[in-house]
């Protein structure tokens, strides 16, 4: 076990096998789209998940990304979301799949969806590797179309998730050790 974890929740094998299942569901839903779907990854947390997911989906797609930030680098969301980098590809009348690492309060995703709607896509769906429903903001009403794992109310790191920009490259997901915070 990597020295950063108090507890490992998902091993690399568990993560990959769940992503393979998500890939099958997503391909089934998108393979008959009129035009190639646009997969929009939310940087930076999505990186390993995005890359493993798209390479498991054998289908034409457009690879895009967006960068938003709602974190102050600590373990609590600030609730202030800014779009740091928008979408450059023209997504008007296209099927868009947002690819997220984790949904906590849901505030980031709501902001991203609001922004993407202004670009007039045909449809918007969401895939998240992790969902922490206990953290959901009471004013947020979100439909998550594809979810990898439900996770407990704890601060997680690894496989894209960071604490102060570190641990994104760890290939497992777990609860951060108390003494690191
Ligand atoms: P939300 O706006 O509260 O849903 O937060 C979403 C973003 O916060 C995610 O995309 C992550 O970047 C980050 N985040 C939420 N929970 C965690 C966690 O447990 N560890 C690391 N980052 C997290
Ligand atoms: Mg993120």
């Amino acid at each position: 076990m990597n020295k950063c974890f108090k507890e490992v929740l998902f091993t690399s094998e568990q993560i990959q096998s769940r992503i393979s299942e998500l890939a099958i569901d997503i391909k089934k839903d998108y393979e008959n789209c009129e035009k190639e779907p646009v997969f929009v990854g939310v940087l930076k947390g999505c990186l390993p998940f995005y890359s493993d997911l798209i390479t498991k989906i054998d289908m034409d797609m457009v690879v895009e990304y967006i960068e938003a930030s709602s974190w102050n680098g600590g373990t609590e969301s600030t609730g202030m979301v800014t779009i740091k980098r928008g979408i450059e590809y023209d997504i008007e009348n296209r099927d868009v799949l947002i690819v997220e690492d984790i949904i906590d309060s849901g505030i980031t995703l709501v902001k991203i969806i609001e922004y993407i709607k202004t670009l007039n896509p045909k449809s918007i769906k969401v895939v998240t590797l992790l969902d922490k429903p206990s953290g959901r903001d009471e004013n947020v009403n979100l439909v998550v179309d594809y979810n990898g794992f439900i996770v407990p109310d704890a601060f997680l790191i690894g496989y894209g998730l960071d604490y102060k920009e570190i641990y994104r490259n760890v290939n497992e997901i777990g609860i951060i050790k108390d003494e690191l915070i």
Side-chain angles (χ1 to χ4, degrees):
M1 175 165 88
N2 188 291
K3 60 186 185 318
C4 59
F5 292 125
K6 174 155 86 182
E7 185 191 336
V8 173
L9 297 185
F10 308 107
T11 64
S12 179
E13 292 72 25
Q14 288 171 320
I15 295 168
Q16 294 306 321
S17 122
R18 184 69 187 113
I19 296 175
S20 298
E21 294 174 348
L22 291 172
I24 290 170
D25 292 347
I26 291 170
K27 183 178 176 193
K28 215 182 291 160
D29 293 349
Y30 282 89
E31 64 188 345
N32 295 320
C33 286
E34 209 176 303
K35 282 184 180 160
E36 302 86 0
V38 182
F39 283 43
V40 177
V42 183
L43 292 178
K44 296 178 232 177
C46 75
L47 279 172
F49 174 47
Y50 189 92
S51 153
D52 287 335
L53 179 71
I54 63 171
T55 52
K56 285 178 164 76
I57 301 178
D58 181 17
M59 169 187 88
D60 291 340
M61 64 175 68
V62 174
V63 167
E64 252 295 348
Y65 62 93
I66 189 171
E67 188 165 10
S69 117
S70 71
W71 284 75
N72 53 12
T75 61
E76 296 273 320
S77 178
T78 57
M80 297 269 297
V81 180
T82 50
I83 306 284
K84 290 206 279 186
R85 192 262 186 201
I87 298 173
E88 281 172 4
Y89 189 84
D90 182 7
I91 61 165
E92 184 163 349
N93 207 25
R94 299 292 287 265
D95 296 292
V96 169
L97 180 66
I98 302 172
V99 183
E100 256 285 24
D101 51 355
I102 184 166
I103 303 173
D104 184 14
S105 71
I107 293 170
T108 308
L109 197 51
V110 164
K111 265 277 147 66
I112 289 172
I113 292 172
E114 241 169 54
Y115 162 74
I116 291 180
K117 276 186 178 160
T118 67
L119 304 173
N120 302 317
K122 183 172 174 189
S123 70
I124 305 175
K125 282 190 180 188
V126 177
V127 56
T128 187
L129 180 63
L130 308 170
D131 188 4
K132 210 191 271 184
S134 56
R136 204 70 94 245
D137 186 280
E138 54 185 327
N139 300 312
V140 166
N141 197 357
L142 264 181
V143 178
V144 179
D145 302 280
Y146 312 92
N147 175 36
F149 302 102
I150 299 278
V151 294
D153 183 19
F155 193 76
L156 309 181
I157 50 172
Y159 199 69
L161 302 174
D162 72 304
Y163 175 61
K164 297 191 174 172
E165 295 302 327
I166 313 296
Y167 313 116
R168 293 193 197 274
N169 61 313
V170 176
N171 72 352
E172 303 180 299
I173 297 170
I175 301 173
I176 192 169
K177 262 194 183 157
D178 296 327
E179 52 267 44
L180 293 175
I181 296 179

